[in-house]
Amino acid sequence: MKVAKHSLVVVTPVYEDVEASSRLFRELSAQFQSDVFVVAVDDGSVKQPLDVKNLESAGVDGVVLKLRRNVGHQRAIAIGLGYVSEYMQRDQRVVVMDSDGEDLPSTIPDLLDKLKSEAVDVVVAQRKSRVETFKFKAFYTVYKLFFSVMTGRTISFGNFMALKAHALKRLVAMQELSIHVAGAVLASKLRTGVCALHRGPRYAGQSKMNFVGLVLHGFKGLMVFAEDVLVRVGIACALIAALSVVFIFAAIILKLLGFSTPGWFSVALGILVLMLLQTGALALMTLMLTGVVRGGTVTTVVAYHDFVESVVETNVRVTKP
């Protein structure tokens, strides 16, 4: 396969965005010339399906993976990485980036420079600045704080990253990859380097990610660490239940000593008993769910073949997976 003949492989998902992705291909070709191989994953586009001619006209070698249906941004990346993992050589490097221009091709060398260290398996882009609305920035700040509280980990990067061959093979063996790419990197225990980069504006068009999709993407990040989240929720519920018991005894003592006002004891006792029952039941449920999650975890390689309709390489070569 031609993917093995290039030192750099770029994986990018494309959904109804031919204009922006074509500009990305031209910039990659101008910057890296024959050193780059582009794996463009057409995520079930209907209005603007990606054609291999978009790669050829940009003068870049590559392949278009045409998916049978729209599977979402994260799974599209996982499918592209699964394809690359079958043909990648040990000395090659893989870069994952969006096709809309917000991940700047000019910053790829910065990622690759940090990846040269023997102590680093993957380098992720941490944003110096964002071309985003105040609403998005506020939501992202709250999300990072919530993510840290619920998982005990810090997430400050997205999909823009560079990987070594062994890191790629480790990631595609994780079922979490198709759920949330950044979360899978955190869960993989790979040695991660951070590179501070600016985020660029979109080349063309509008983002396909609305607020609901953004919230869903955030919760998918929590799903990667479902066990940790459930355990923390269970501990919090157990603590609240224990405090409820303490306050129940305190209320009874105050009642016996005559310090309670009329009606206060029955209201306080009712509320505390209700809190005890609810938090106790929730604590037991989270413990049971933790066992279900742990017992149901099966690690499998991303079976990208099931989603790919065709593999179209440059020079108009078409193969079926």
Side-chain angles (χ1 to χ4, degrees):
M1 297 295 291
K2 291 191 295 181
V3 66
K5 301 177 181 179
H6 302 264
S7 60
L8 175 65
V9 180
V10 173
V11 176
T12 182
V14 182
Y15 177 64
E16 307 288 10
D17 210 353
V18 170
E19 183 179 356
S21 59
S22 296
R23 180 173 170 181
L24 172 67
F25 302 153
R26 291 194 298 269
E27 292 191 6
L28 289 172
S29 176
Q31 185 168 351
F32 298 102
Q33 299 178 354
S34 61
D35 291 335
V36 67
F37 186 90
V38 176
V39 177
V41 185
D42 184 358
D43 189 16
S45 300
V46 176
K47 297 178 181 179
Q48 300 181 43
L50 187 65
D51 194 274
V52 72
K53 293 180 180 179
N54 298 110
L55 289 172
E56 294 174 339
S57 62
V60 66
D61 203 5
V63 62
V64 174
L65 305 185
K66 291 185 174 291
L67 304 190
R68 302 179 189 277
R69 63 179 179 85
N70 178 256
V71 298
H73 190 259
Q74 301 298 286
R75 178 162 288 180
I77 292 176
I79 291 171
L81 293 176
Y83 171 82
V84 173
S85 69
E86 290 193 354
Y87 308 104
M88 188 177 183
Q89 304 300 310
R90 185 173 182 178
D91 59 341
Q92 289 180 299
R93 299 293 179 261
V94 175
V95 168
V96 179
M97 64 189 306
D98 290 336
S99 61
D100 54 11
E102 294 184 351
D103 298 334
L104 298 172
S106 60
T107 60
I108 291 177
D110 296 327
L111 293 176
L112 298 178
D113 284 343
K114 285 188 174 291
L115 197 62
K116 292 178 181 178
S117 172
E118 294 293 333
V120 174
D121 302 313
V122 54
V123 177
V124 298
Q126 192 175 69
R127 300 305 181 184
K128 288 181 180 179
S129 61
R130 287 181 174 271
V131 186
E132 302 287 358
T133 63
F134 174 78
K135 179 181 178 181
F136 176 89
K137 293 179 179 178
F139 171 79
Y140 189 60
T141 300
V142 172
Y143 170 71
K144 288 195 295 183
L145 179 60
F146 182 70
F147 186 92
S148 178
V149 171
M150 297 303 292
T151 67
R153 295 170 174 82
T154 301
I155 187 167
S156 58
F157 59 94
N159 304 316
F160 194 19
M161 63 186 67
L163 307 101
K164 293 179 179 177
H166 69 273
L168 172 62
K169 293 184 182 297
R170 184 183 182 101
L171 278 179
V172 298
M174 299 179 63
Q175 62 177 8
E176 296 91 344
L177 183 64
S178 61
I179 299 175
H180 197 274
V181 175
V185 171
L186 287 177
S188 68
K189 308 297 184 182
L190 289 167
R191 297 170 297 178
T192 305
V194 177
C195 186
L197 301 173
H198 290 291
R199 189 180 186 93
R202 284 183 60 88
Y203 288 141
Q206 299 293 324
S207 174
K208 306 299 188 299
M209 179 73 78
N210 55 27
F211 184 74
V212 174
L214 187 64
V215 173
L216 179 60
H217 177 68
F219 277 106
K220 284 184 176 180
L222 293 173
M223 289 171 58
V224 173
F225 304 99
E227 288 186 20
D228 294 347
V229 173
L230 289 172
V231 169
R232 285 172 178 260
V233 171
I235 291 174
C237 291
L239 288 175
I240 295 174
L243 288 174
S244 299
V245 173
V246 172
F247 286 128
I248 287 173
F249 280 106
I252 293 174
I253 292 173
L254 291 174
K255 176 65 175 179
L256 294 176
L257 294 177
F259 288 105
S260 63
T261 57
W264 173 88
F265 175 74
S266 58
V267 173
L269 186 63
I271 293 175
L272 290 170
V273 169
L274 184 61
M275 288 178 58
L276 174 62
L277 293 176
Q278 289 182 334
T279 54
L282 187 56
L284 290 175
M285 289 174 60
T286 54
L287 290 175
M288 292 175 61
L289 287 172
T290 303
V292 171
V293 170
R294 182 180 295 273
T297 299
V298 178
T299 303
T300 57
V301 176
V302 177
Y304 75 90
H305 305 84
D306 298 335
F307 297 94
V308 178
E309 177 68 27
S310 63
V311 179
V312 188
E313 294 187 2
T314 48
N315 299 325
V316 199
R317 176 183 172 186
V318 181
T319 60
K320 290 290 182 178

